[in-house]
Amino acid sequence: MSNRKVLVTGGAGYIGSHTAVELINAGYEVIIVDNLSNSDRSSLAGIAAITGVTPTFVEADCCDREAMERLFAEHDFQSVIHFAAFKAVGESVAEPLKYYQNNIGSLVNILDLMRRYERRNIVFSSSATVYGDADVLPVTERTPRKPATSPYGNTKQMAEDILRDSVAAVEHLNGIALRYFNPIGAHPSALIGELPRGVPNNLVPYITQTAAGVRECLSIFGDDYPTPDGSCLRDYIDIVDLARAHVVAIDRMVEGRNKEAFEIFNVGTGRPVSVFELVHGFEEANNLKLNYKVAPRRAGDVTAVWADTTLANEELGWRAERELTDTLRSAWAWECHVRNIKQ
Ligand code: NAD
Ligand code: UD1
């Protein structure tokens, strides 16, 4: 079994492609499995252009038992990073079974194969959504989870529990759940980035598409929250910083430095930023004006959530490094790359 090989499920997607780059840069060999349901092969070309290495790519569905069994039989990776999942909150409310089937089904399949093929380490993509509307801020990993407000959020809570129970039951298995806050931005090369399909739900893709003229006007969802400027507060984490957190999580397990077989870490900056601050930060970073208006609150939004990152800082030896201004520049550079806009 090779401890330098990592299977990256969903590796053609936004976070997976950036993580593949950082893994390759750290000397790991990457095998990507993706069914391209929310991505395309251009990200694989981007990874190759940045690193000079073309990762092994297997086009398959992680819920497909036979295809995944073949993959495990053919490749001797010791570790897995499991990104593959659906992530649209609104869609999950309309089509819950699609989300339970894909997000839970893929994880159960992977864990069962890891058990049978004696693979050791798994990093799972969890989310700050598990904290819901927290009573005390910033949230630590010990902050109680709140009942999920969407089937998507519920899949993250269920998946954390499934992982914890599997790791407890299988002697050779180690797991780390990373709770991402709000990942934004793109690789500084602008060769990979986020490719939302249709109208973006998330703030930064909406901002960049508005700046590009694809959307007419950004709606700021609420200016009457009990926050300093009335808009919501979030913890926006640069995508390359987030990708690096996966590398140190894998290193930790490969080197046997994990203190428990199952661990959870917040991955954020520890700094709350309001929607208005982000919009104005984007304008200043890129020297342009954005068309925006204040709109009613969006159903399901929490007022504020940001991370206490002490545990990740001290235990993983990881911290967010990239300046928000640089991240917002990278987001715009990527949009310009996608739309063929001269900056
Ligand atoms: P993404 O949609 O860009 O990437 C997910 C990738 O998985 C896509 O390439 C998709 O084609 C693939 N995929 C989905 N189901 C699959 C399956 N059954 N088999 C094979 N491939 C499959 O999303 P992302 O933003 O990169 O998110 C990655 C993970 O991080 C997801 O689990 C998501 O829930 C989680 N997460 C994301 C955010 C965020 O803001 N982006 C925040 C918290 C957690
Ligand atoms: C959303 C999801 C969350 C998911 C995360 C990452 C909801 C309720 N939550 O989190 O489960 O883990 O994305 O995919 O969907 N905003 C605007 N205008 C916009 C878009 C957003 O003002 O057009 C505001 C929102 O009100 C929020 C902030 O920007 O205050 C960030 O929004 P978004 O990027 O969607 O992330 P979250 O809501 O934090």
Side-chain angles (χ1 to χ4, degrees):
M1 205 71 60
S2 171
N3 64 9
R4 302 310 296 171
K5 287 190 196 171
V6 183
L7 175 69
V8 180
T9 78
Y14 175 44
I15 308 174
S17 57
H18 289 81
T19 300
V21 165
E22 298 307 313
L23 285 167
I24 293 167
N25 287 344
Y28 285 101
E29 189 179 324
V30 170
I31 299 131
I32 289 177
V33 58
D34 201 301
N35 63 0
L36 304 179
S37 56
N38 197 37
S39 54
D40 59 54
R41 286 168 192 273
S42 63
S43 60
L44 304 169
I47 296 167
I50 294 166
T51 63
V53 175
T54 304
T56 304
F57 175 60
V58 178
E59 186 175 345
D61 191 319
C62 294
C63 300
D64 180 339
R65 286 191 77 90
E66 279 168 27
M68 292 303 289
E69 179 114 33
R70 270 199 304 280
L71 193 148
F72 272 72
E74 279 169 21
H75 298 278
D76 65 344
F77 49 85
Q78 194 187 63
S79 307
V80 178
I81 306 182
H82 184 49
F83 292 107
F86 295 145
K87 62 167 183 176
V89 175
E91 186 188 54
S92 82
V93 175
E95 294 183 71
L97 293 182
K98 179 175 169 182
Y99 277 69
Y100 289 116
Q101 195 157 35
N102 195 47
N103 296 9
I104 302 300
S106 63
L107 176 69
V108 169
N109 207 15
I110 297 277
L111 287 172
D112 186 43
L113 287 161
M114 290 185 75
R115 177 181 64 82
R116 289 196 282 118
Y117 283 80
E118 296 188 0
R119 307 304 161 92
R120 297 181 63 88
N121 312 312
I122 177 163
V123 175
F124 174 71
S125 301
S126 190
S127 167
T129 192
V130 303
Y131 295 116
D133 216 342
D135 299 324
V136 181
L137 292 164
V139 290
T140 77
E141 292 78 357
R142 289 176 307 284
T143 299
R145 298 185 316 195
K146 286 281 175 77
T149 53
S150 72
Y152 166 75
N154 207 20
T155 67
K156 292 300 173 193
Q157 299 210 4
M158 291 167 73
E160 285 190 354
D161 295 346
I162 290 167
L163 185 55
R164 183 200 58 217
D165 294 347
S166 304
V167 164
V170 179
E171 174 109 50
H172 64 260
L173 200 59
N174 298 290
I176 292 181
L178 297 179
R179 289 177 176 163
Y180 313 154
F181 282 69
N182 290 59
I184 61 165
H187 193 267
S189 65
L191 292 169
I192 51 173
E194 191 171 7
L195 269 181
R197 299 208 164 159
V199 183
N201 293 308
N202 294 119
L203 179 59
V204 169
Y206 210 105
I207 288 176
T208 56
Q209 289 196 8
T210 306
V214 180
R215 311 278 155 213
E216 210 169 296
C217 181
L218 169 77
S219 292
I220 294 184
F221 298 140
D223 68 349
D224 56 352
Y225 283 97
T227 58
D229 66 17
S231 66
C232 295
L233 299 171
R234 295 289 185 273
D235 185 335
Y236 296 95
I237 169 82
D238 181 87
I239 186 67
V240 177
D241 282 333
L242 174 61
R244 284 193 303 103
H246 295 79
V247 179
V248 297
I250 290 288
D251 288 345
R252 179 178 175 85
M253 291 189 284
V254 164
E255 293 162 17
R257 288 185 282 106
N258 45 329
K259 292 205 172 131
E260 310 277 345
F262 175 58
E263 298 177 316
I264 296 177
F265 295 101
N266 283 345
V267 188
T269 65
R271 191 185 53 222
V273 172
S274 77
V275 179
F276 283 117
E277 283 172 328
L278 198 87
V279 167
H280 295 138
F282 179 84
E283 292 182 319
E284 276 162 35
N286 297 297
N287 202 18
L288 43 78
K289 281 269 159 242
L290 202 70
N291 196 15
Y292 67 84
K293 61 172 192 235
V294 173
R297 293 180 178 195
R298 180 172 70 178
D301 274 344
V302 299
T303 303
V305 64
W306 70 95
D308 180 321
T309 61
T310 310
L311 198 66
N313 299 158
E314 292 180 356
E315 281 297 321
L316 289 179
W318 170 93
R319 65 179 61 247
E321 285 170 0
R322 208 159 166 206
E323 294 293 334
L324 183 58
T325 304
D326 293 331
T327 305
L328 294 172
R329 282 198 187 116
S330 74
W332 178 231
W334 166 247
E335 190 70 51
C336 291
H337 171 82
V338 171
R339 312 260 168 217
N340 263 322
I341 296 170
K342 275 216 171 79
Q343 265 186 287

